[in-house]
Amino acid sequence: MYPFIRRAVIRNYKSIAACDLELPALAFLVGPNGSGKSNFLDCFRFVSDSLKTSLDHALRDRGTIKEVRRRSGGHPNHFALRLDFQLPNGSGGHFSFRIGARKDGGFEVQSEECKVSYGVTDEHFYHVESGKVIRSSLRVLPASLPDRLFLVAASGLPEFRPVFDALSRMEVYNLNPKEIQAMQKPDPGELLRRDGSNIASVLQNLDAPHRALVNNHLARIVRGLAGAQTKVLGSQETIEFRQAVKGQKHPWTFLASSMSDGTLRALGVLVAIFQTQQRTSASPNFIGLEEPEMALHPAASAVLLGALREASAQSQILVTSHSPELLDNEDIPAESLMAVDNIDGITRIGPIDPAGRQLLRDKLFTAGELLRQNQIAVDPAVGENLFGEHQLNLFDYPSK
């Protein structure tokens, strides 16, 4: 599986001052609590939210632009993101933008750029500055506004629709066992919500082979479970678990309200990653997971890792973790590990340092063993070259 997002460039987003990362199909963000792992994942959700709803809604959902742009003594008044992508049809390109704060408390899209190549001679692009299209491969374009991402308007054009569809379907999950446990209103079940609050509908919507895939992994993660299925109760629905009981011929059934947080989170993670195996128009090409091992028994981590690796053959998966057990596998390549730390309130994210990479390549330690010894550190070279914005290469077409 090729990675959908090949490269992410970030400037002044929350605690991240500067970041330029190449991403594999399955990546693990490893670092202590409060280091900024969730802020990195939120960049992808911010892009998706801005396209699916609006830029204004995405900012208000996070407070205001003051809560999104990095706070520092230098008072940066903007933040910027760039995602280099490869679409499912093999086409490549990038999407980038810089959002600036205005003195009245508002914001504007200072710069925005999209480029996609469908072949050697079939390239399309646009570059917008403060609500005005200054370069484009197309003569006729929709209207642009300074407080809207132009890609939303350009999604009506066949040249840019595939980019909009792919980026707007990026999903980041922070599963909430209480929401999975509660009775749920039925919905079409095309896509799992961020907190898992429609999991009953999504599980029901999976075809038989993919539902069996979820249940097979769940039974290996939670010993004694024979599977899970959707249970309709009046106008609402929930999850019904089947559990083998010693001395009983048939499994006993328990509703989600009786199950542990670990079991509910395990089901949520499996549905999140395997919903993409059943390709639909809503299937995400990128999935972010916040600490999927949380509340799981350490012995289940190897099974969870196997599930993540299997699912990453269909969709790119980015995981935050500080669990040595999840990373206790000598086959995890050094390229899949991204170290995260926070120094004086500034998040650094990058490949692990050369010494750690060599230990993993020589299979002298697993990533989990290095984590236990506090030996997973950001490559020192990362911080040396990123803090000048011109060095981040956010835009291919500089401002006029």
Side-chain angles (χ1 to χ4, degrees), residues 176-365:
N176 185 343
K178 292 188 182 301
E179 293 293 339
I180 298 174
Q181 187 180 66
M183 296 297 296
Q184 301 173 0
K185 293 182 179 180
D187 74 10
E190 294 181 343
L191 184 67
L192 186 66
R193 293 179 193 148
R194 182 173 186 247
D195 58 4
S197 57
N198 66 335
I199 192 170
S201 292
V202 176
L203 185 62
Q204 180 65 25
N205 190 52
L206 293 179
D207 60 25
H210 293 99
R211 200 177 307 130
L213 183 63
V214 169
N215 279 323
N216 288 340
H217 281 284
L218 182 64
R220 294 175 61 208
I221 291 175
V222 184
R223 296 295 178 88
L225 275 187
Q229 61 188 13
T230 301
K231 177 77 171 180
V232 178
L233 297 173
S235 62
Q236 295 184 304
E237 57 189 14
T238 186
I239 300 294
E240 181 181 74
F241 293 86
R242 302 185 305 279
Q243 188 162 8
V245 178
K246 186 176 181 180
Q248 300 298 314
K249 183 178 180 180
H250 301 289
W252 287 5
T253 60
F254 300 89
L255 297 182
S257 57
S258 301
M259 305 305 289
S260 69
D261 285 1
T263 299
L264 297 174
R265 283 184 59 85
L267 177 63
V269 169
L270 293 172
V271 171
I273 63 177
F274 286 122
Q275 66 181 334
T276 64
Q277 311 288 297
Q278 181 178 301
R279 302 304 298 180
T280 70
S281 59
S283 297
N285 297 307
F286 176 98
I287 293 174
L289 292 170
E290 295 265 17
E291 299 181 4
E293 76 282 355
M294 186 185 299
L296 285 183
H297 191 280
S301 296
V303 180
L304 176 60
L305 175 62
L308 292 170
R309 298 175 81 168
E310 180 178 347
S312 68
Q314 292 291 332
S315 291
Q316 186 175 17
I317 298 176
L318 184 57
V319 175
T320 69
S321 178
H322 47 74
S323 167
E325 289 78 18
L326 182 64
L327 302 175
D328 261 339
N329 187 303
E330 64 178 14
D331 293 328
I332 295 177
E335 292 73 23
S336 290
L337 294 173
M338 306 294 165
V340 187
D341 63 21
N342 190 299
I343 299 176
D344 297 328
I346 297 177
T347 294
R348 292 193 310 163
I349 307 173
I352 63 175
D353 63 9
R357 289 200 299 270
Q358 194 61 49
L359 289 171
L360 292 177
R361 288 167 181 164
D362 292 342
K363 297 189 182 297
L364 298 177
F365 292 91

Side-chain angles (χ1 to χ4, degrees), residues 12-235:
N12 291 331
Y13 190 89
K14 296 188 175 180
S15 63
I16 303 171
C19 173
D20 189 342
L21 271 182
E22 294 185 2
L23 297 174
L26 175 60
F28 298 91
L29 285 171
V30 182
N33 287 329
S35 57
K37 302 187 299 295
S38 296
N39 289 344
F40 183 76
L41 271 190
D42 190 60
C43 292
F44 302 95
R45 191 168 74 92
F46 180 85
V47 173
S48 178
D49 288 351
S50 299
L51 296 175
K52 285 188 294 189
T53 58
S54 71
L55 184 55
D56 179 62
H57 182 276
L59 288 170
R60 284 190 288 108
D61 189 47
R62 291 158 177 80
T64 64
I65 190 172
K66 292 181 180 179
E67 301 300 321
V68 176
R69 62 183 173 90
R70 183 174 63 92
R71 299 180 182 182
S72 76
H75 300 293
N77 64 357
H78 70 274
F79 66 93
L81 306 174
R82 170 175 170 145
L83 301 180
D84 287 19
F85 56 77
Q86 185 171 355
L87 299 175
N89 62 12
S91 304
H94 72 269
F95 176 61
S96 57
F97 57 81
R98 181 170 59 237
I99 311 297
R102 297 201 315 252
K103 292 182 179 180
D104 61 4
F107 64 90
E108 71 168 352
V109 183
Q110 296 176 339
S111 299
E112 180 186 345
E113 184 174 280
C114 183
K115 182 169 74 173
V116 57
S117 299
Y118 295 105
V120 177
T121 60
D122 190 15
E123 179 178 280
H124 298 282
F125 65 90
Y126 67 76
H127 186 96
V128 177
E129 295 280 343
S130 300
K132 295 182 180 180
V133 180
I134 61 173
R135 295 183 182 88
S136 175
S137 58
L138 302 178
R139 289 186 177 183
V140 180
L141 291 169
S144 58
L145 296 169
D147 62 347
R148 299 285 189 274
L149 287 177
F150 185 67
L151 183 57
V152 177
S155 66
L157 303 172
E159 293 84 359
F160 297 108
R161 183 61 189 238
V163 180
F164 172 87
D165 286 343
L167 292 175
S168 64
R169 289 201 297 262
M170 295 188 296
E171 297 294 331
V172 175
Y173 289 99
N174 190 357
L175 297 162
N176 185 343
K178 292 188 182 301
E179 293 293 339
I180 298 174
Q181 187 180 66
M183 296 297 296
Q184 301 173 0
K185 293 182 179 180
D187 74 10
E190 294 181 343
L191 184 67
L192 186 66
R193 293 179 193 148
R194 182 173 186 247
D195 58 4
S197 57
N198 66 335
I199 192 170
S201 292
V202 176
L203 185 62
Q204 180 65 25
N205 190 52
L206 293 179
D207 60 25
H210 293 99
R211 200 177 307 130
L213 183 63
V214 169
N215 279 323
N216 288 340
H217 281 284
L218 182 64
R220 294 175 61 208
I221 291 175
V222 184
R223 296 295 178 88
L225 275 187
Q229 61 188 13
T230 301
K231 177 77 171 180
V232 178
L233 297 173
S235 62

Side-chain angles (χ1 to χ4, degrees), residues 7 9-11 78 80-82 84 94-98 113 389-396:
R7 175 173 170 246
V9 184
I10 303 166
R11 178 72 171 172
H78 70 274
L81 306 174
R82 170 175 170 145
D84 287 19
H94 72 269
F95 176 61
S96 57
F97 57 81
R98 181 170 59 237
E113 184 174 280
E389 184 171 351
H390 63 284
Q391 296 168 315
L392 285 176
N393 189 28
L394 289 159
F395 303 100
D396 283 3

